[in-house]
Amino acid sequence: MSEQQRKARHRRSRKALAVGVPVVMAAAGTFAYGTVLGLFGADAQQRASAATTAAPSWATATADGFASVNSLGQNGTYGGRDGKIVTVKTLADLEKYATAAEPYVIVVAGTINMNPVGKEIKVQSDKTIVGAGTSGQIVGGGFFLGSGVHNVIIRNLTIRDSYQGVWNDKDHDFDAVQMDGAHHVWIDHNDLRHMADGLIDVRKDSTNVTVSWNKLSDNNKTFGIGWTENVKTDITVHHNWFRETEQRNPSTDNAAHAHLYNNFLEDVAGTTIKSSYGNYSRGRTKMVLENSFFQGMNNPVTKDSTATLVQKGNTFSGTSGRNESGGTAFDPKSFYSYTLDKTADVPALLKSGVGPRSSIGTTSATASTKAATTLTVAKDGSGQYSTVQAAVNAVPANNASRVVIAVKPGTYRETVKVPSNKPHVTIQGTGGSRKDTVIVYNNASGTPKPGGGTYGTGGSATVAVEADDFQARNLTITNDFDEKTNQNLNGHQAVALRTAADRVFLDSIITEGDQDTLLLDTAAKDRLGRVYVKNSYVIGNVDFIFGRASAVIDRSVITLKKRWDGTSAGFVTAPSTPANRKGFLIANSTVNGDVSASSFFLGRPWHAGGDATLDPQTTVRNTTLSAAVKSTPWTDMSGFPWKDDRFAEYKNTGPGSGSASSNRPQLTDAQAAGQEVADWLAGWTPSAS
């Protein structure tokens, strides 16, 4: 998109911000965790054995961290994947399958109330207990894993409300998950809160435990580890959000190896729950604490004289009291591989990614019975195709069912186009990180085309999507056009990803460029184009999120980037929304970057081609804004005043946020109720497939 547009000849009157009825949207999935889709049928049922029917990916998921390490006769942690999948809705059925001798994948498809309150089901070995999307809830009790119990996964559940009215309760040991002498246990993507004692207790020589992507909140004695004279426990605690929890966050006693990384500990000012301490290494514990973010915590990191604690890359904001380290610990990579997220990104990543996911524990009730076709791409020739475009070309025209293009790790220097007659395509990186699989090219608007002419802005895209029901996940799409060495070129707009379709789902990806990184368009001005971007990074500097689609960027990180000459100046959004349509919604996200303070606008109105009938819209809500955002965050473009279009904020935070003024419109609560994520998606619920 050109920075200069033809000046408008006509203007219309300013429109009021739309007010509507909010629609509640099911919680979205997280970073490339499986595929799957929808809800089980109404009745409890048994699924065929994994040996005879292909199980969904969440039913065969395996743990990372210390739970993945082979020891004690157990090779990793995979739960009940070798057994049947059963769906339960009653306490009797849950207890029946959880206490059985044989392996099961137990899907909790509703709310189960424990009777009596405080009941802890005695789970036996080789079990996966998983919530069906966001519907699986255990109320008033939890699970107990006794001595010798092993190979257990507790995942995607809400476990809550055994609290008995006494904050420092010493009479009721009503935990969410308690283990005494268990091993190889994975606790993942749960919402644990408001229990009478601990949310998680790992006791009495329990070992090979991984606790990941959970939200732990509204509790006193939150997460205890150890409580033994032996030094045996090996535990990994990563990507968990501790919010409004007083103590044991966690407290780790006599652990042989405790690896804590990428956790977010938050004590919110003005609330009734005050943190007494955060991470605690005690006894003979050896702890490694990496890339975690501590916000407002009292005594964020403590150790006693006999423990060791090594800190690396942590951030402390508004904390006070003890912050300690000392001694030597261990190298976690000598036990297992892992990838650290940047500490600055942890709050946004965890706020978006922890807790139950709609894509786990569910299957689609509406999807075609035909299984998705998978095409593999690998640079080294080990796949069916060596380029992504070759795989796209192999998709049959007007395909009726999903085709997954599984791209192995590597850098694919090519342009990719998914034409409009090839819907239901997913391009998915298969690496452990979205950085492992990269599709990159360097065309710009002014780049000469073979045979004459130039590519233009839209034609410069590294990846162009014109087909409905497209999905991309777990990969990076970038345009690495070098502005500095191409100053003589007329037209530096260089698109990484262009979408011109409806129901486009971009999940856990990175899109990176400079000017015009992400073009969210529609097939035509009168066509709807809904796009949902979640758990992703968008990186650029000038108008780098632009177009006329109705697009949501949710639970993501928008990274501001310096320009080719090292200066800091730019614009995040440039919507060109048609009248009476939704434009761009940035929600529950973070805007940051290594740029100068007060150097970036949140947006400006793009009236493409000088079209005065357009009504550009950007709403930024419930988002953390860095100091890089200007105090007057909106600006005019090519003769079109931003105040004649639709630009507003709602309940943003951070140093770049500000109070309402004529130059900084804020939605009222009533207006905000009509500008929720689901209002943008208009009846479409994105799900991974």
Side-chain angles (χ1 to χ4, degrees):
M1 179 187 58
S2 173
E3 290 193 64
Q4 301 297 322
Q5 299 291 341
R6 183 166 57 87
K7 192 164 184 173
R9 294 181 180 178
H10 305 286
R11 294 301 294 143
R12 49 181 166 60
S13 62
R14 184 179 181 185
K15 295 179 174 60
L17 291 164
V19 178
V21 179
V23 180
V24 178
M25 176 184 168
T30 191
F31 303 85
Y33 268 87
T35 52
V36 208
L37 333 160
L39 292 172
F40 281 101
D43 299 325
Q45 56 189 302
Q46 291 191 355
R47 298 295 187 189
S49 165
T52 57
T53 302
S57 60
W58 50 262
T60 59
T62 60
D64 59 1
F66 273 115
S68 70
V69 174
N70 300 341
S71 68
L72 301 173
Q74 176 65 34
N75 295 330
T77 303
Y78 48 83
R81 73 176 184 193
D82 294 333
K84 294 178 180 179
I85 301 175
V86 296
T87 302
V88 301
K89 293 185 176 181
T90 67
L91 175 57
D93 283 342
L94 174 59
E95 190 164 19
K96 170 186 172 182
Y97 291 114
T99 60
E102 58 267 40
Y104 280 107
V105 175
I106 304 163
V107 181
V108 180
T111 298
I112 294 178
N113 292 287
M114 290 299 194
N115 186 17
V117 172
K119 181 182 180 67
E120 293 180 356
I121 292 176
K122 293 179 172 57
V123 181
Q124 296 303 303
S125 300
D126 304 319
K127 301 294 185 295
T128 296
I129 305 174
V130 58
T134 58
S135 68
Q137 299 202 33
I138 308 297
V139 179
F143 300 103
F144 177 82
L145 284 62
S147 180
V149 170
H150 59 276
N151 191 31
V152 174
I153 297 172
I154 297 175
R155 196 170 187 222
N156 214 53
L157 290 164
T158 295
I159 307 177
R160 60 179 174 86
D161 295 332
S162 69
Y163 184 63
Q164 297 298 294
V166 178
W167 186 242
N168 192 25
D169 196 337
K170 299 181 182 297
D171 297 322
H172 301 97
D173 190 12
F174 297 169
D175 299 332
V177 182
Q178 181 181 117
M179 57 192 83
D180 283 3
H183 65 93
H184 288 89
V185 180
W186 183 27
I187 302 172
D188 177 72
H189 273 104
N190 300 290
D191 182 347
L192 310 175
R193 63 180 188 264
H194 203 53
M195 302 298 281
D197 190 60
L199 299 180
I200 303 172
D201 271 0
V202 180
R203 313 191 312 175
K204 298 182 180 178
D205 299 342
S206 295
T207 192
N208 293 102
V209 177
T210 297
V211 178
S212 57
W213 295 101
N214 302 284
K215 183 178 181 182
L216 301 94
S217 63
D218 191 16
N219 219 77
N220 182 10
K221 296 174 285 188
T222 305
F223 184 179
I225 302 167
W227 318 117
T228 176
E229 294 301 315
N230 301 318
V231 183
K232 184 173 180 180
T233 299
D234 289 347
I235 188 166
T236 305
V237 181
H238 73 87
H239 290 94
N240 300 281
W241 182 13
F242 296 77
R243 187 182 189 277
E244 297 308 285
T245 52
E246 183 171 324
Q247 57 182 312
R248 301 182 188 172
N249 295 306
S251 174
T252 309
D253 180 52
N254 284 337
H257 305 99
H259 183 205
L260 283 58
Y261 70 92
N262 282 146
N263 297 297
F264 178 33
L265 280 70
E266 182 183 27
D267 185 340
V268 180
T271 60
T272 58
I273 299 176
K274 301 297 182 185
S275 57
S276 60
Y277 61 88
N279 296 161
Y280 188 4
S281 180
R282 53 189 285 185
R284 289 174 287 168
T285 292
K286 290 187 176 181
M287 179 182 288
V288 175
L289 172 58
E290 300 183 277
N291 285 34
S292 289
F293 198 108
F294 297 79
Q295 177 70 52
M297 296 293 293
N298 295 313
N299 303 308
V301 184
T302 62
K303 65 176 288 293
D304 63 21
S305 61
T306 57
T308 62
L309 195 159
V310 173
Q311 289 202 44
K312 303 176 183 179
N314 303 303
T315 293
F316 301 89
S317 176
T319 61
S320 60
R322 295 169 65 181
N323 185 354
E324 300 167 339
S325 60
T328 58
F330 61 96
D331 179 7
K333 289 188 175 178
S334 67
F335 295 92
Y336 52 82
S337 62
Y338 65 99
T339 301
L340 291 169
D341 282 306
K342 293 180 179 179
T343 311
D345 297 336
V346 164
L349 294 176
L350 270 58
K351 287 179 180 180
S352 66
V354 300
R357 308 287 86 188
S358 60
S359 57
I360 300 174
T362 57
T363 58
S364 177
T366 59
S368 168
T369 56
K370 182 178 179 181
T373 300
T374 299
L375 307 176
T376 59
V377 178
K379 292 286 291 183
D380 61 6
S382 61
Q384 296 166 278
Y385 306 95
S386 59
T387 67
V388 179
Q389 187 63 56
V392 173
N393 294 343
V395 177
N398 303 309
N399 50 299
S401 59
R402 177 69 52 185
V403 177
V404 176
I405 298 174
V407 187
K408 293 186 178 182
T411 299
Y412 298 80
R413 181 160 285 278
E414 59 175 303
T415 58
V416 177
K417 181 178 180 179
V418 183
S420 60
N421 65 346
K422 296 189 177 186
H424 317 303
V425 167
T426 296
I427 300 178
Q428 179 166 329
T430 64
S433 164
R434 60 200 128 185
K435 296 180 181 179
D436 293 344
T437 304
V438 180
I439 305 173
V440 57
Y441 212 72
N442 62 348
N443 284 333
S445 175
T447 300
K449 292 173 63 176
T454 59
Y455 283 99
T457 299
S460 70
T462 300
V463 175
V465 175
E466 298 177 353
D468 291 345
D469 291 305
F470 173 84
Q471 300 188 8
R473 61 174 41 85
N474 198 40
L475 51 79
T476 295
I477 299 170
T478 187
N479 189 317
D480 64 353
F481 171 70
D482 188 339
E483 289 190 82
K484 185 174 183 178
T485 61
N486 287 280
Q487 283 299 294
N488 61 334
L489 200 67
N490 183 20
H492 286 191
Q493 301 85 0
V495 176
L497 173 61
R498 174 175 70 90
T499 70
D502 190 30
R503 299 183 302 277
V504 174
F505 186 14
L506 308 176
D507 177 11
S508 189
I509 71 169
I510 299 171
T511 54
E512 182 170 8
D514 288 313
Q515 183 175 345
D516 292 13
T517 301
L518 181 60
L519 171 51
L520 303 173
D521 212 350
T522 67
K525 183 180 176 181
D526 61 349
R527 294 277 300 277
L528 182 63
R530 290 166 292 177
V531 181
Y532 182 56
V533 184
K534 77 168 179 74
N535 293 341
S536 294
Y537 291 83
V538 186
I539 304 167
N541 48 42
V542 175
D543 302 327
F544 62 98
I545 302 169
F546 72 111
R548 65 187 174 207
S550 298
V552 177
I553 297 177
D554 188 17
R555 311 173 187 186
S556 295
V557 178
I558 297 170
T559 301
L560 313 176
K561 185 178 179 182
K562 290 181 179 178
R563 303 184 74 169
W564 66 271
D565 59 0
T567 59
S568 296
F571 314 86
V572 177
T573 67
S576 57
T577 320
N580 302 313
R581 281 270 176 80
K582 298 288 190 184
F584 293 159
L585 174 64
I586 297 172
N588 314 305
S589 294
T590 294
V591 178
N592 62 18
D594 184 18
V595 295
S596 300
S598 302
S599 60
F600 270 74
F601 291 98
L602 288 176
R604 56 182 181 168
W606 179 33
H607 287 259
D611 187 347
T613 69
L614 299 178
D615 192 12
Q617 180 184 30
T618 296
T619 296
V620 182
R621 62 175 296 166
N622 306 105
T623 288
T624 302
L625 306 179
S626 78
V629 175
K630 289 176 176 285
S631 59
T632 54
W634 313 106
T635 189
D636 303 339
M637 185 175 187
S638 303
F640 289 91
W642 70 267
K643 289 185 178 181
D644 287 341
D645 293 307
R646 297 174 291 168
F647 294 90
E649 299 176 77
Y650 181 69
K651 291 190 176 180
N652 294 321
T653 58
S657 62
S659 57
S661 70
S662 61
N663 289 317
R664 194 152 199 174
Q666 305 285 329
L667 300 178
T668 66
D669 290 344
Q671 291 168 332
Q675 297 201 36
E676 302 275 3
V677 170
D679 298 308
W680 251 253
L681 300 181
W684 169 50
T685 301
S687 60
S689 60

